[in-house]
């Protein structure tokens, strides 16, 4: 029997419900980090390279739909079904701010300068909070035409991007005027929208299609039909020569950016894939699934195996707040817990 090349992911356990959002920090002096949102109401922070658990953010009382980290990975933000968006100290796990909404918060994003937090959700309103003056009146951008699914900042915080749960298209808003300046038309609702690291492209997933848009002139650059309905897509940040997509067939596929040809198909999840994201250096990518796991896949050469094996990077089953002492170990690729257990990367 011929040996097949099979990708061996790091499998990150810890969430007890589906994983619905993932976000990588930029590379910081302490490395880079991965934060995950889950319907279990407790976002988790991990070492982005090894997948090792660093801490769990406790405080939400409903499913968490969206998470993000600021540029220095010092603060985290989350949007939840408990009608709040929370900002956390990413070193201690403490809640810094809790912003009340009138309905479910589906999306949140820090501005590039980390001063502002953008939120959106079922209310059809985009809100901007000044984190330097959290008690000051918030700013509400003109009403969104539909329930907000994704939000992002662009053009050095001069432009906002949003998509809707119940209608197609990506809307681009001028921050100063608060008005929609452009709509990128799609047939199906856009479930994932990512601005590339170099600011050149907007990557969107709608229905069974992944599209790439010029982030400056807003023209459609490429559009590829996928083998199934995809919920998320991400462009490789360093060379921009490949992209990943995941969706209802439970597989994480890699495609050539220039041709759209499928170059790899990673199997391992036991439920639909809700989110995929490349790490900031492009050396690996993460997928989050209905099965409650995060899998981190290496972009480089595959390993020869007859059967798929998985290296586990187990998260905390009990809910423990992250401590400063634990964070100090994060670069070493292992986690020393309060109870004295030592877990190294396998």
């Amino acid at each position: 029997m011929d040996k097949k090349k099979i990708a061996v992911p790091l499998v990150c356990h810890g969430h007890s419900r589906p994983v619905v959002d993932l976000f990588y920090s930029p590379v910081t002096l302490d490395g880079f980090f991965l934060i995950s949102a889950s319907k279990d109401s407790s976002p988790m922070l991990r070492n982005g390279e090894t997948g090792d658990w660093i801490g769990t953010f406790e405080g939400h009382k409903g499913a968490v739909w969206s998470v993000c980290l600021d540029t220095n990975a010092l603060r985290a933000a989350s949007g939840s079904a408990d009608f709040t968006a929370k900002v956390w100290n990413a070193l201690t796990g403490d809640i810094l701010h809790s912003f009340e909404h009138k309905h479910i918060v589906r999306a949140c994003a820090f501005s590039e300068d980390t001063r502002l937090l953008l939120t959106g959700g079922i209310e059809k309103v985009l809100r901007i909070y000044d984190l330097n003056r959290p008690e000051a009146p918030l700013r509400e951008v003109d009403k969104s035409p539909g329930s907000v699914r994704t939000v992002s900042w662009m053009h050095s915080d001069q432009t906002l991007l949003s998509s809707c749960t119940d209608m197609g298209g990506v809307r681009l808003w001028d921050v100063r005027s608060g008005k929609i300046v452009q709509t990128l038309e799609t047939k199906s609702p856009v479930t994932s929208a990512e601005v590339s690291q170099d600011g050149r492209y907007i990557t969107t997933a709608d229905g069974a299609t992944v599209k790439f848009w010029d982030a400056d002139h807003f023209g459609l650059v490429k559009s590829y039909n996928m083998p199934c309905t995809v919920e998320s897509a991400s462009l490789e940040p360093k060379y921009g020569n490949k992209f990943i997509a995941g969706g209802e067939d439970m597989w994480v596929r890699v495609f050539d950016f220039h041709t759209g040809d499928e170059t790899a198909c990673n199997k391992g999840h036991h439920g639909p894939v809700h989110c995929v994201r490349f790490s900031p250096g492009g050396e690996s990518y993460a997928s989050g699934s209905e099965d409650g796991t995060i899998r981190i896949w290496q972009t480089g050469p595959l390993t020869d195996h007859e059967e798929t094996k998985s290296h586990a990077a187990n998260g905390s089953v009990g809910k423990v707040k992250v401590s400063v002492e634990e964070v100090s170990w994060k670069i070493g690729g292992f986690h020393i817990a309060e109870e004295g257990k030592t877990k190294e990367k396998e």
Side-chain angles (χ1 to χ4, degrees):
M1 180 178 166
D2 291 336
K3 286 187 176 182
K4 292 182 179 178
K5 287 188 174 181
I6 296 178
V8 183
L10 290 164
V11 183
C12 307
H13 298 283
H15 285 298
S16 59
R17 297 285 311 282
V19 177
V20 293
D21 194 25
L22 294 170
F23 185 96
Y24 276 105
S25 76
V27 178
T28 73
L29 293 174
D30 296 325
F32 61 94
F33 304 95
L34 175 65
I35 189 170
S36 54
S38 168
K39 291 183 182 178
D40 66 8
S41 80
S42 300
M44 287 187 175
L45 184 68
R46 297 179 182 275
N47 179 308
E49 186 176 1
T50 66
D52 288 331
W53 176 83
I54 294 173
T56 299
F57 299 100
E58 294 190 318
H60 279 299
K61 293 179 167 50
V64 175
W65 287 105
S66 177
V67 284
C68 57
L69 292 163
D70 70 9
T71 307
N72 299 311
L74 297 177
R75 290 177 299 181
S78 53
S80 171
D82 65 7
F83 295 15
T84 69
K86 295 186 189 299
V87 178
W88 313 77
N89 182 321
L91 298 180
T92 66
D94 294 330
I95 297 173
L96 299 175
H97 311 292
S98 186
F99 298 117
E100 298 290 332
H101 291 63
K102 294 172 185 171
H103 215 305
I104 294 168
V105 183
R106 284 298 303 262
C108 61
F110 284 107
S111 59
E112 286 179 42
D113 65 9
T114 75
R115 189 173 59 86
L116 306 172
L117 181 72
L118 171 65
T119 68
I122 308 298
E123 278 184 86
K124 305 182 181 179
V125 176
L126 296 176
R127 290 185 170 88
I128 299 174
Y129 296 90
D130 187 335
L131 300 178
N132 292 339
R133 299 185 304 132
E135 305 305 320
L138 62 93
R139 182 173 170 208
E140 291 188 356
V141 180
D142 211 17
K143 210 168 172 65
S144 168
S147 172
V148 178
R149 174 67 185 263
T150 66
V151 295
S152 189
W153 297 82
M154 295 173 57
H155 302 150
S156 302
D157 302 332
Q158 298 303 305
T159 306
L160 305 178
L161 175 156
S162 72
S163 71
C164 297
T165 307
D166 42 9
M167 64 177 65
V170 172
R171 280 144 206 93
L172 299 158
W173 310 71
D174 179 82
V175 172
R176 283 167 293 187
S177 68
K179 302 296 182 186
I180 295 173
V181 293
Q182 187 81 26
T183 300
L184 312 180
E185 299 292 348
T186 65
K187 290 182 180 178
S188 304
V190 171
T191 51
S192 169
E194 174 192 75
V195 181
S196 64
Q197 196 167 281
D198 61 8
R200 286 180 63 193
Y201 298 112
I202 301 167
T203 305
T204 62
D206 72 288
T209 308
V210 173
K211 294 182 174 69
F212 299 92
W213 311 80
D214 185 306
D216 291 320
H217 306 290
F218 308 125
L220 180 61
V221 178
K222 293 183 182 295
S223 178
Y224 296 121
N225 294 323
M226 296 288 104
C228 70
T229 299
V230 293
E231 200 168 328
S232 186
S234 182
L235 179 64
E236 194 278 328
K238 196 169 184 182
Y239 302 107
N241 58 355
K242 63 185 73 164
F243 67 95
I244 50 173
E248 64 180 17
D249 70 357
M250 303 185 279
W251 298 347
V252 181
R253 301 172 190 269
V254 185
F255 298 89
D256 184 287
F257 171 77
H258 301 289
T259 65
D261 294 338
E262 183 178 315
T263 58
C265 181
N266 299 316
K267 304 176 183 181
H269 281 298
H270 303 290
V273 176
H274 294 309
C275 44
V276 293
R277 284 294 178 261
F278 264 104
S279 65
E283 65 278 350
S284 61
Y285 49 95
S287 55
S289 166
E290 183 74 17
D291 65 16
T293 68
I294 300 162
R295 290 170 192 257
I296 298 177
W297 313 82
Q298 296 304 309
T299 309
L302 302 180
T303 311
D304 284 331
H305 280 272
E306 287 187 354
E307 295 181 0
T308 304
K309 289 165 63 181
S310 297
H311 299 305
N314 290 309
S316 119
V317 177
K319 294 182 179 176
V320 185
K321 255 193 180 179
V322 58
S323 71
V324 178
E325 290 75 22
E326 289 168 332
V327 172
S328 68
W329 291 96
K330 62 183 179 261
I331 313 166
F334 56 88
H335 169 66
I336 296 185
E338 293 283 329
E339 295 83 358
K341 298 179 195 168
T342 304
K343 186 191 140 340
E344 288 193 34
K345 180 185 169 187
E346 293 180 3

